[in-house]
Amino acid sequence: MLKLNRRIAAIKPSATLAADARATEMKLAGIDVISLAAGEPDFDTPEHIKKAADKALAAGQTKYTAVGGTAALKNAIKLKLKRDNNLDYEPPEIIASAGCKQAEANVINALFDEGDEVIIPTPAWVSFAAMVSLSGAEPKFVPCSEESGFMLEPEALRRAITTRTRGIMLNSPSNPTGAVYGPEQLTAIARVLVDTDIWVMSDDVYEHIAYGEFAPHLFHIEPRLKSHGIVFNSLSKTYAMTGWRIGFAAGPKEAIAAAGRLQSQNSGNPNSITQAAAIEALTGPQDALKPMLEAFRERNALVVERVRRIPGFRLPNIPQGAFYAFPNVSELLGSRFGDKQITDGDTLAAFILDEAHVSLVGGNDFGAPEHVRLSYATSVKNLNEAFDRIERAVAKLKR
Ligand code: GLU
């Protein structure tokens, strides 16, 4: 067997991207698959953003830039953090990367080491744990109950902290549960973390896809967290720019500089044309956001209604943000169809893909094996068709 680096050998491919890749493969083979797998808005990138990229290309902005992004992009990010989050960051405290994923991986690698623990409230996005393990640190999962609406409870957080705890990854609105922390919950969490030296990482990529009031930022609520806090964000979801790969981190300048050194050795600057488009996205008209949010809101209502009608699917919470529903499917565990037995969310997702040609992501790698995740970043027509198919497939399962 090929001998690999120990840490790489231990990780699996991203479950979300793997599910999406399987759906794409089946589509290429001529199968009519509806993908509710990838967390990817189905909208096109707004025209003015694409035009900014055209302009940059025509102007020959095709060379290396500063590793952590151009001065103009860092200023645009600074402006965004002030405008949307009421947070003050200067350019040396900001790094742009090829997607929020790269920003997170770089910062996590820069900050943590073997022997460290990083708290991950679960259910959590599949890549957090892998990123932490790759840094040599250990993910410490803290389950968040259905009764709490999948929110981290301050007492559970307090209990999870040990002398080895060096970081925590928070994500609101949450992928995969759609849970959104309100100001009171953020205040309670801040209270536990403020007098520690734990790195508080806040993944805000779904901030603009929230169906209630726009929540204040954790670091605005408790500004003292900023000295050991990192903000992560992306343009992927807000501006429908997944393929452009642009995200960023902001935090204390020594931490950002360390992430920058890693980026300078590993990859270099994010794509120069993408950076020009990102400046326009962040500083140009923001009016494309509202219709996208309204579309997600309409789909959210539809999905809640349809998921609840599927026998064996139970929706513990109404997603308040992001574009995912995370039903509990434990009632279906142990059922079978032919030689296929449903033992967890992953086997159910595989069964639904085979039988219904609808792609979901099983809950296992989100730390919730009794669940499946479905993304409603697709049209109402696709959603209705997908639910009809899922209902028919699930009806075939026998106890
Ligand atoms: N974050 C999105 C998701 O969960 C995109 C895919 C990925 O990078 O995981 O589906």
Side-chain angles (χ1 to χ4, degrees):
M1 215 170 73
L2 183 69
K3 185 173 172 339
L4 294 172
N5 167 285
R6 187 165 40 89
R7 288 179 190 157
I8 301 285
I11 60 163
K12 294 197 291 185
S14 152
T16 51
L17 296 183
D20 196 49
R22 264 194 309 277
T24 304
E25 247 170 56
M26 287 172 72
K27 280 184 205 161
L28 285 174
I31 302 170
D32 167 29
V33 176
I34 302 177
S35 181
L36 309 184
E40 171 165 72
D42 52 326
F43 307 108
D44 196 6
T45 306
E47 216 42 53
H48 66 105
I49 300 175
K50 294 205 278 190
K51 284 220 176 81
D54 283 345
K55 221 167 117 199
L57 194 55
Q61 289 181 27
T62 55
K63 308 289 188 213
Y64 291 134
T65 73
V67 168
T70 61
L73 176 58
K74 287 195 181 188
N75 275 321
I77 295 169
K78 171 183 154 133
L79 183 145
K80 175 260 172 286
L81 288 166
K82 186 69 188 168
R83 178 191 62 210
D84 298 348
N85 310 110
N86 216 339
L87 295 175
D88 293 299
Y89 284 99
E90 292 306 317
E93 299 171 306
I94 293 169
I95 182 170
S97 302
C100 186
K101 245 170 154 166
Q102 192 195 27
E104 290 178 337
N106 285 346
V107 168
I108 287 171
N109 270 297
L111 294 180
F112 307 120
D113 230 319
E114 277 174 16
D116 294 343
E117 286 176 356
V118 178
I119 292 175
I120 302 177
T122 58
W125 177 50
V126 296
S127 291
F128 291 148
M131 288 175 181
V132 168
S133 300
L134 282 170
S135 77
E138 251 174 72
K140 170 123 179 194
F141 300 111
V142 181
C144 304
S145 65
E146 292 185 1
E147 297 70 48
S148 70
F150 293 115
M151 307 243 203
L152 177 62
E153 286 172 297
E155 259 324 296
L157 169 59
R158 219 185 290 275
R159 280 197 303 273
I161 295 174
T162 70
T163 50
R164 289 167 56 199
T165 307
R166 295 289 305 129
I168 177 169
M169 182 56 96
L170 297 168
N171 172 221
S172 172
S174 155
N175 173 5
T177 66
V180 179
Y181 289 73
E184 275 159 37
Q185 286 149 319
L186 292 174
T187 305
I189 286 176
R191 216 172 276 140
V192 181
L193 295 168
V194 67
D195 292 320
T196 69
D197 60 357
I198 296 169
W199 283 101
V200 182
M201 299 177 284
S202 177
D203 175 321
D204 307 332
V205 303
Y206 296 96
E207 66 177 354
H208 286 290
I209 305 167
Y211 308 114
E213 261 175 53
F214 192 78
H217 199 279
L218 175 66
F219 302 163
H220 180 67
I221 289 179
E222 180 41 272
R224 285 179 294 164
L225 285 177
K226 262 187 83 198
S227 64
H228 53 110
I230 310 276
V231 174
F232 293 109
N233 214 324
S234 161
L235 281 78
S236 291
K237 323 286 176 180
T238 309
Y239 302 102
M241 292 179 73
T242 46
W244 298 72
R245 308 313 299 141
I246 188 82
F248 58 88
K253 67 175 188 300
E254 296 78 7
I256 296 300
R261 291 198 292 278
L262 178 57
Q263 185 159 305
S264 82
Q265 295 288 10
N266 255 354
S267 60
N269 64 268
N271 179 302
S272 57
I273 305 301
T274 293
Q275 289 190 57
I279 295 168
E280 174 62 22
L282 294 170
T283 61
Q286 302 292 303
D287 42 0
L289 272 53
K290 207 158 165 248
M292 290 197 248
L293 178 64
E294 289 320 309
F296 287 132
R297 192 193 302 281
E298 182 195 348
R299 297 166 187 186
N300 172 287
L302 171 78
V303 165
V304 169
E305 205 251 319
R306 296 282 326 237
V307 168
R308 289 192 163 152
R309 266 170 38 195
I310 308 172
F313 278 52
R314 187 168 57 74
L315 196 60
N317 68 322
I318 294 181
Q320 303 293 326
F323 36 63
Y324 306 109
F326 202 56
N328 181 314
V329 293
S330 52
E331 245 185 66
L332 297 173
L333 306 191
S335 61
R336 50 172 64 245
F337 174 66
D339 60 353
K340 288 179 195 147
Q341 178 156 30
I342 308 303
T343 53
D344 54 20
D346 282 14
T347 47
L348 180 65
F351 164 77
I352 288 174
L353 182 61
D354 287 348
E355 288 304 316
H357 296 162
V358 175
S359 165
L360 312 175
V361 189
N364 298 41
D365 287 4
F366 295 96
E370 298 192 334
H371 291 252
V372 291
R373 186 190 81 171
L374 48 96
S375 158
Y376 50 88
T378 189
S379 67
V380 165
K381 181 168 169 283
N382 273 348
L383 286 169
N384 274 319
E385 170 66 20
F387 282 110
D388 290 346
R389 293 187 192 182
I390 295 172
E391 276 176 16
R392 286 196 295 269
V394 168
K396 294 183 192 166
L397 289 170
K398 298 266 169 329
R399 283 268 146 208

